[in-house]
Every structure is written in C-alpha cells, then in structure tokens.
Amino acid sequence: MASSYDYDEGSYDSRSYATSAPGQAGGDVSYDPNFVPDSVRTFVVHLYRYIREKNVYEIHQMYEGSFQRLSERMFRESPWPSVEAVAPYVDNDHVFCLLYREMWFRHVYARLSPTGRQRVDSWDNYCSLFGVVLHGVVSMQLPNQWLWDMVDEFVYQFQSYCQYRAKLKTKTDEELQLLKQYDQAWNVYGVLNYLQALVEKSMIIQILEREKDGLEQFSATDGYDYDGGSNVLKMLGYYSMIGLLRVHCLLGDYHTGLKCLVPIDISQQGVYTIVIGSHISAIYHYGFANMMLRRYVEAIREFNKMLSYILKYKQYHQKSPQYDQILKKNEQMYALLAICLSLCPQTKLIEENVSIQLKEKYNDKMLKMQRYDEEAYAVFDELFSYACPKFITPSVPALEEPLTNFNQDAYRLQLKLFLYEVKQQQLLGGVRSFMKLYSTISLSKLANYMEVDEATLRTILMTYKHKMHAVDSNGKIVSNSDVDFYINDGIVHVVEAKSPKQYGDYFLRQILKFEEMIGELDRVKLD
Amino acid sequence: MGQQVGYTVEQLVAVNPYNPDILADLENHVNEQVSSQTYSLDANLCLLRLYQFEPQRMNTEIVARILIKALMAMPAPDFSLCLFLIPEQVQMEEQFKALIVLSHYLETARFPQFWDEVAKNRHMLEVVPGFEQTIQAYAIHTLSLTYQKMPRPVLAEAVNLEGLSLDKFLEYQVANNGWGLEKGSGSLQLVVLPRNEYNHPELKKSSGDGIPLEHVTRIFSILG
C-alpha cells in the first residue's frame, strides 16, 4: 500500500473543464463500469490536479458543485465509472483512487441501494483510506466539508450496515453467506477504534488545549494549515469526536457520547460550526443525549440556539446537497424541543422566532402532552420515534435458525425507557399548574385539589424536586424548574424563578438602537 | 489479559475504551468496587458496552452488581444510563425486574414502598455493603431539597428508622450536620433541616446576574 501522497510533476490534460459537456443522458439502461465519459475524465483529471496543487477552493468547487451536477445529469440511476477505469487518468494514484471510491460508494448509498458486497467493499475502502491517513504521510489539504462528509458517511454506513444485518428474515442464501464470510466488516470495535485512533493520532485534543493557552492556531485558520502541512488528519480527528458522540448515541450510551464531545466548546462558535452538517450533528446529538440524561434546560438551550441559527441561515444552503438533511434534522429538533418543553416548561429560554415556529408545528401536540393521559403518551411516543437517532444493535448475529428481524430491538428499548421516565413525571404537570396560582398553600388544601391523600402529595412534591434537579457534567445539582417551592411544616411556599439576564440583554439592545438613532439624527443636522 | 502493572482501571479504560481484552479486568473491578465501597461509572459503562458488543460474554451477576451500585449513585441518573445498554430480554429476568422496581420507587420518592421491596430482596442487596446507608443519604438529599421543616414521621419512613434508632440518628445529625429539632403542633416533633439554596431559594446566587462579555463587546464601539 502506498503510504505517501507525494506527487511527481507530470504533464496534465489541460483541456478546459467547462467545454466538455457530453451528450449522454442519465439513466442508461446498461451500466458499463469501464466506460468513462469525457466529462468524468475531465472531472477526475482536474480534481486530481487541484488536489496536487493544494487548491482548496477549486477542490471544494468540484467536490460540492461538479460532482453533484454530474451525478444529477449522468448518474441518476447508475453508479459512477469504476475506479479501475478512471485510474489511468490520475497516474493510478493510490490515495486519489481511495478518495474516488469513497465518493463512488457515497453516491451508491445516496441514490441507489447498495448490495451486500458493495457494503463490504466500502468498509474495506474506509479501512485503506484511514490506514493511509493514520500510518502514512499525507500532505493533502482537503476542504472541511469533504472531511466532515467522510466521517459522517463512515458512521452512517456503519449504522446502515447494522440495520441491514439485523433484517435476517428476508436475506438470500448468498447474502447470508456474505455476512458469514465477512463478519469483520463494519465490526463495532473496528468502527470505534478507527474514530478513536483518528482523535488520538491527530493530537486534536492537545491542539485545542494549546489553542486555549494561545500556543497554537487552529480555529483562526478554520483548521487549515497554511505552512505547507496537511489538514487531513487533524480535521478527521476533530470531526471524529462528533462521530464518536453520534455512534455512542446510536448505542444508547449517552454519558460516554457526551464525554467524547467535551474537548469541543459548544457554548461558542468554533470549527465545528463552519460546516453546517457538523454543526447540526453535534448539537442534535448533544441535545438528545442531555434530554435522556434529564438535563432538559441544557437540551432546550442548545436546540434553541441551533434552530434559531438554521432559521437565519438555511436560505444559503438551498442549493447544497445537504439541504434535505438540514431540513429533516431541523424538524426533528423541533420535535425534541417540544418534548423537552413539555417535561420542563422553560419557555423563557426560547427565542421568539423559534417559539413561533414551534407553535405552528406543535402547538396542539404540546397541549396534549401536558395532559399525561393515554393520548399524551401516544404523542410522546410519536414525537420521540420521529426524532430519535436510528438506534442499532451492534453485536454480530448468530445466524442460526430461525432467522428473525431484530432491527427494531434497540429502538424499542430506548423508547420504552424514555416513556417510563415520562410516566414517572406524569403528576408533575398538575402540581406545577396549581403552584403557579399560589404563593403559599397548605399541603392539605393542595392534596384536596389534586385529589390525592397527603402522603401521596408529599411523594409527588419530592418527585418534582428530584426530577427538576439535574446532575450536570461536573456532578453538580442544578435546578431545571421554572416554578420552585419549599415546604415549611405543612405549608408549601412557591418561588417563581426569575431571569434577570434578559434585562442586561434588553438594555444592550436598546443602547445599540439608541446609538443608531443618534447617528441618524447627526446626519440629518449635517445636511 | 491480566491487569497491567502500574495502571489503575480508570486509566486502562481511558486508554482502551473499545478493547475487548480488558473485560476480565473490568469484571474484577466491579467486585472491587463492591468490597471497597467505591464507584466508577465510566468503568462500569465500559463493561456494559463490551457486553453489548458481545452478548455471549455477559455475566448477569456482574450486571446486577453494577445496577445496585448505580442505584446507590442516586440522584445521578446512572441506573437509567446502565439500563439503556442492557438488552430488553435480559431486563426481563427476575433479579433485574426487582431492581427496576426499586429504582422506580426511588425515582418517584416512594420510600416506604422502596424499603418494603428491599426487605423482600435482601439476599441480593446484602452482598453490597453500604447499600442502606447510601440510600438513606439519598433520601435525606431529596428531603433537604424539599423541606425546611418536616414532621418526624416523614423522616422516619424515608430513612426507614423508628424509635430508638431514629433518636440516635437524629442525635448524630444534630451534633454533626446542623440539624435542629422543634416542637410542632400537638406532640409532634419537627425536624429542621440545614439551610441550602433549594429549601431556602433566597440563598441561591443568581447565575443570570452577570452579562457575558461577548454581549458587552457589541457596545464596545460606542463606549470607546
């Protein structure tokens, strides 16, 4: 295996890329993997050249633009030409061929449906590609978008393989044979260890630490290396932390997932926000994991920020191949936000524009969820099922008769445990609404209103306290409740949570507005 | 593989988070946590993860111990964190069903029911030293979130003590932890819990008092 990506200067086909518009229509009936249309040849030749020249801008144009356009025009229903067929046009360059195949498989996954064999081959290709990055000397500089897509697609294909492997009922003998033969393909240890190795080998955690002390530049250059080095390992390592968070969420291991994300400070903008896919993936999984850990305020705060961001910027992504994904995750995060707010009504944390969207989408459902009857559970169930990650069973199946499908098992377990949590909180909404009406109320009176005896009321009030206090990542107890209380002897004293923070924000905005007005008045005088 | 000399299990987990070879070390470590009354969530989750990846290697006795230790970590949600990783058919076993019921009572602050259930499952729980004291500490935690003053019977049923042993317990808390005792209406004794920001909200420092610097920077140009 070639371990370096050192180019020798060769002569290049300098024909203009724009002039080669071939006449073939997409959707050819017979796919010939060895046929390389002119436009594809031009595409790979140019992409290869730009990679050698470290022209990140042009690489990005070809990767995001040309590849999509050609796929749309010529490969709607068939794969791209095989790597063997294009290799002669790129000096049989080993690493370029690995990159080409990575895109080749990604296209098959996105537009066609991959066969068992293709799934296994794609795994092999990732192993070779990451092997080169981890153990070779890579000098390339690739766009962040592409590097993020690699990590994201790697995790996606792993998830997809687990789902595929779990549907045993309908497998043909040939497919079963393949599963047996390649039982190491997409093995969960392999997947996790590749991501972990990328994080470690890239030293990204140390780089981020050093950056905090001003000893290193990383965010300032968006992770690119302008001193002749390569950004590939570093950025793959960076994105792998988000990849690990996602894998752990897919496995139901929320605590470990959040730990993987700790080196990235999501309280502010950073390299993870440059590529919107990475930004969304980080926040969606972060929020989901926090919701499962009952840290509702944390989840609400981050969902709100992300949704507000998408609202502002989604128009700039309309032409992006990720646009559908952005919209889908956007909808899912609204559903999760609706769930979190139903369990923990911290509406003050929501910005107005997000709040309007939320009402439009989920007003009725949120009202139902407040009621905690059978219909309410059905709504919690529906929203959770719609918005949760695609949970997986990671173990290799035994492949013994009778063959059954177990692809739903992991999801059903997470759903069941989540609804169990919802049931434990079912009486809290009632207490909350009564407490909003009183500043003090006796236990006996409140018990009367709630139609329970006093002993039961005491357990409900303690449950309220327990559920509305989360343990944060430092082990500290933090209150999540909008309405709090304490009991002195037989009397409940209610305390409404105040949020003085908004005044500061309000004044700052007014100062700016005022200054603007003064400026305008000044100009009027000058005229 | 034996435990490498010079490494704690925590370090072993940090270096090998996805290495099936450390499974035996992690199982030993669970037993060690039980006997030495220590706790390591990360190590236990790592073990449950390895079981999840290779279910045929699962040792349910170890899983039960992990779950009991997780109950003792209340109010942290560790018990749920563990359940998320344990396949449903395993959770159907009798011992796990009992533990799930115990967790449910603790999560919903139904202490009398909890202690009744403990009595029925003594054989499983007495293997883990410190269980009752730790749960008592959790009960006290929940009470101190909720009450400034509470009637003695409320405390009694939460910590499962009465009569002389409750007197002794109270005496200790008064001497060491700032508890107080008062006469309530009738002959009822009132227990005064120490002040904290949860039962005396006025003590809470408002985290919203400050304005983050990046917000203030917006008006720097005006201030300059």
Side-chain angles (χ1 to χ4, degrees), chain A residues 20-37:
Chain A
S20 61
Q24 291 107 327
D28 18 358
V29 192
S30 59
Y31 165 64
D32 176 3
N34 294 317
F35 175 66
V36 183

Side-chain angles (χ1 to χ4, degrees), chain B residues 187-200:
Chain B
S187 60
L188 206 64
Q189 193 177 33
L190 281 181
V191 180
V192 185
L193 287 164
R195 295 154 63 89
N196 61 49
E197 62 176 272
Y198 311 105
N199 63 15
H200 283 263

Side-chain angles (χ1 to χ4, degrees), chain B residues 52-71:
Chain B
Q52 188 191 25
F53 297 170
E54 298 174 83
Q56 67 281 7
R57 295 178 75 182
M58 181 182 285
N59 176 337
T60 49
E61 202 178 312
I62 295 282
V63 175
R65 288 179 186 185
I66 291 178
L67 284 174
I68 296 170
K69 290 298 265 183
L71 271 186

Side-chain angles (χ1 to χ4, degrees), chain B residues 3-216:
Chain B
Q3 191 176 327
Q4 284 151 321
V5 185
Y7 280 106
T8 65
V9 172
E10 280 76 13
Q11 284 167 326
L12 208 59
V13 171
V15 180
N16 308 279
Y18 317 112
N19 181 352
D21 295 340
I22 66 170
L23 188 131
D25 289 323
L26 292 173
E27 288 181 337
N28 289 335
H29 188 52
V30 172
N31 291 326
E32 230 171 80
Q33 290 173 53
V34 168
S35 57
S36 65
Q37 301 203 31
T38 53
Y39 182 57
S40 170
L41 174 65
D42 286 331
N44 295 349
L45 286 179
C46 184
L47 178 55
L48 290 176
R49 183 160 68 224
L50 299 180
Y51 286 154
Q52 188 191 25
F53 297 170
E54 298 174 83
Q56 67 281 7
R57 295 178 75 182
M58 181 182 285
N59 176 337
T60 49
E61 202 178 312
I62 295 282
V63 175
R65 288 179 186 185
I66 291 178
L67 284 174
I68 296 170
K69 290 298 265 183
L71 271 186
M72 293 161 70
M74 292 279 289
D78 297 13
F79 191 84
S80 308
L81 289 179
C82 295
L83 282 191
F84 288 137
L85 297 176
I86 301 171
E88 202 172 355
Q89 71 271 22
V90 176
Q91 294 187 22
M92 295 304 195
E93 286 180 27
E94 282 311 315
Q95 53 175 343
F96 297 121
K97 274 204 235 164
L99 288 170
I100 290 168
V101 168
L102 285 173
S103 154
H104 181 67
Y105 286 146
L106 285 184
E107 286 285 338
T108 51
R110 280 183 268 181
F111 294 109
Q113 290 95 324
F114 171 82
W115 292 115
D116 284 351
E117 206 58 35
V118 167
K120 285 184 223 155
N121 291 282
R122 213 158 275 292
H123 58 284
M124 174 166 55
L125 299 168
E126 64 193 3
V127 186
V128 182
F131 181 76
E132 297 197 356
Q133 293 90 309
T134 320
I135 301 295
Q136 280 173 341
Y138 165 67
I140 291 168
H141 161 81
T142 311
L143 290 169
S144 6
L145 290 181
T146 314
Y147 291 98
Q148 290 182 350
K149 292 176 197 168
M150 64 187 160
R152 180 182 157 115
V154 170
L155 173 68
E157 59 175 30
V159 295
N160 199 32
L161 293 172
E162 53 192 8
L164 265 179
S165 34
L166 183 59
D167 287 337
K168 259 195 159 154
F169 174 86
L170 278 169
E171 204 176 295
Y172 177 85
Q173 299 290 2
V174 170
N176 294 288
N177 294 326
W179 290 31
L181 297 172
E182 272 180 19
K183 268 224 144 9
S185 52
S187 60
L188 206 64
Q189 193 177 33
L190 281 181
V191 180
V192 185
L193 287 164
R195 295 154 63 89
N196 61 49
E197 62 176 272
Y198 311 105
N199 63 15
H200 283 263
E202 73 276 8
L203 294 178
K204 190 174 164 190
K205 282 191 218 89
S206 177
S207 57
D209 270 355
I211 300 169
L213 183 64
E214 69 256 32
H215 289 185
V216 183

Side-chain angles (χ1 to χ4, degrees), chain A residues 339-359:
Chain A
I339 289 176
C340 290
L341 284 172
S342 300
L343 294 170
C344 174
Q346 286 279 19
T347 43
K348 283 178 201 154
L349 295 173
I350 308 293
E351 284 168 47
E352 203 180 336
N353 48 5
V354 175
S355 175
I356 292 168
Q357 295 282 319
L358 183 68
K359 282 216 179 89

